[in-house]
Amino acid sequence: MSETQLPSRLPCGSRLLDLSRPQVMGILNVTPDSFSDGGRYARRDAALRHAVAMVEAGATLIDVGGESTRPGARVVSPVEELERVAPVVEAIARELDVIISVDTSTPAVMRETARLGAGLINDVRSLRRDGALDAAADTGLPVCLMHMRGEPGNMQDDPCYPDIYEEVRDFLVERMTACAAAGIPADRLVLDPGFGFAKTLEHNLSLFRRMDQLAELGRPLLVGVSRKSMIGKVLGHEVEGRLYGSLALAALALSKGAHILRVHDVAETVDVVRMITAVESAS
Ligand code: 8Y4
């Protein structure tokens, strides 16, 4: 794989993502479990307020997701997913100066949200659904490819790999090749090891340790570990008690070359990023 220097900016629709320093992506869930009651305008307004707070706290990307990837979550139709996500994307695009990432595997959602102002496609299935490669290619937007075997519903059924790092690298190379064949060039791709997806605790820890080697693929890395069960398993804390573990992993991910951190706790993570950047910019 080529080890060329990464460009310092990634075009994301009408905006540019600055890759010369680490960026924080705030997580915005618009699944019914997060904003269920109050009807659709209440859901849109609550989501917009959350997005405003994350941008004020320093997020430069907002990841909007309308389909839960939790094991056992109900399957959402494309129409239902679009009804949840589209008003939120539209409102953020109108109100805020931020790159909107859309967490979706659904071709129709990719096409429509791109039209409404989305700047990045974040697909945990790495464009493996029927029509997803073509839809993403047609939008011209960058895509985040993430390692996951199987589907969210069955991915934790005894995942087994001879070498987790090689598994993730080979998977991402295969998806990069599929993207190239569909007209999505490598310079439009972001790569993600997929922490917590089809991996045991040992897989997650070992992959995290070797994450710096994924730089050899020559693309920016996005890392999502915020509040995940790998932290819960090591520390023995429920999801509300995982902030310090999340910040420890955020700092370590930066030291291993991560470019984008996908997090719930934006203000706290931005402090970590700014402190590390201050030290690394010193003479
Ligand atoms: C508490 C809160 C515990 C949330 C677990 C979780 C990633 C992602 C997710 C990721 C990229 C999650 C959509 C899982 N994780 N996209 N999406 N990378 N690119 N679980 O790691 O946050 S959802």
Side-chain angles (χ1 to χ4, degrees):
M1 225 359 99
S2 59
E3 280 226 44
T4 45
Q5 178 81 35
L6 278 173
S8 65
R9 283 195 285 256
L10 178 69
C12 295
S14 60
R15 292 190 165 79
L16 286 172
L17 178 65
D18 178 7
L19 292 169
S20 70
R21 56 198 176 80
Q23 302 293 330
V24 174
M25 168 188 274
I27 300 171
L28 185 61
N29 283 318
V30 286
T31 49
D33 10 311
S34 35
F35 299 105
S36 50
D37 37 20
R40 83 161 92 164
Y41 297 110
R43 184 203 288 153
R44 184 199 59 191
D45 294 349
L48 182 60
R49 279 195 300 275
H50 188 191
V52 168
M54 291 195 288
V55 171
E56 285 174 351
T60 52
L61 304 108
I62 300 287
D63 191 40
V64 182
E67 187 214 10
S68 178
T69 48
R70 261 185 219 135
R74 199 169 57 82
V75 183
V76 176
S77 75
V79 170
E80 195 180 340
E81 190 189 340
L82 198 55
E83 280 173 354
R84 284 183 199 166
V85 167
V88 175
V89 169
E90 199 171 21
I92 296 173
R94 186 178 57 235
E95 303 285 340
L96 291 173
D97 181 19
V98 71
I99 297 167
I100 304 168
S101 159
V102 183
D103 160 19
T104 189
S105 302
T106 310
V109 175
M110 295 173 188
R111 292 182 191 279
E112 183 61 15
T113 56
R115 209 182 56 77
L116 295 173
L120 175 74
I121 296 168
N122 176 30
D123 181 6
V124 300
R125 295 179 183 78
S126 292
L127 307 179
R128 285 178 293 165
R129 275 206 183 143
D130 281 347
L133 282 165
D134 289 337
D138 289 348
T139 67
L141 294 179
V143 177
C144 179
L145 299 176
M146 193 197 79
H147 175 270
M148 170 174 64
R149 290 288 179 194
E151 278 287 310
N154 63 17
M155 67 182 178
Q156 291 305 103
D157 303 352
D158 196 23
C160 174
Y161 314 104
D163 181 313
I164 183 65
Y165 169 75
E166 287 178 10
E167 156 67 25
V168 169
R169 183 201 54 204
D170 293 353
F171 175 95
L172 292 172
V173 167
E174 187 274 319
R175 296 316 296 155
M176 290 173 81
T177 306
C179 282
I184 307 169
D187 66 6
R188 226 181 274 162
L189 298 176
V190 172
L191 304 179
D192 186 331
F195 291 107
F197 288 87
K199 294 169 190 76
T200 64
L201 174 62
E202 303 315 316
H203 290 143
N204 286 311
L205 297 175
S206 158
L207 182 60
F208 202 103
R209 191 159 181 247
R210 296 178 68 184
M211 177 168 41
D212 49 348
Q213 290 176 260
L214 289 173
E216 76 181 42
L217 299 181
R219 297 307 307 153
L221 292 184
L222 189 158
V223 171
V225 286
S226 179
R227 300 183 189 174
K228 281 187 179 172
S229 69
M230 62 186 286
I231 298 167
K233 284 173 186 156
V234 170
L235 301 180
H237 295 324
E238 291 306 317
V239 67
E240 322 74 58
R242 297 177 186 169
L243 174 61
Y244 302 140
S246 300
L247 297 178
L249 293 187
L252 200 52
L254 295 180
S255 81
K256 291 179 182 291
H259 296 83
I260 305 170
L261 302 173
R262 180 183 180 274
V263 305
H264 301 86
D265 303 287
V266 172
E268 294 85 347
T269 309
V270 166
D271 273 358
V272 168
V273 170
R274 289 176 56 208
M275 199 65 240
I276 290 178
T277 306
V279 171
E280 307 223 301
S281 334
S283 49

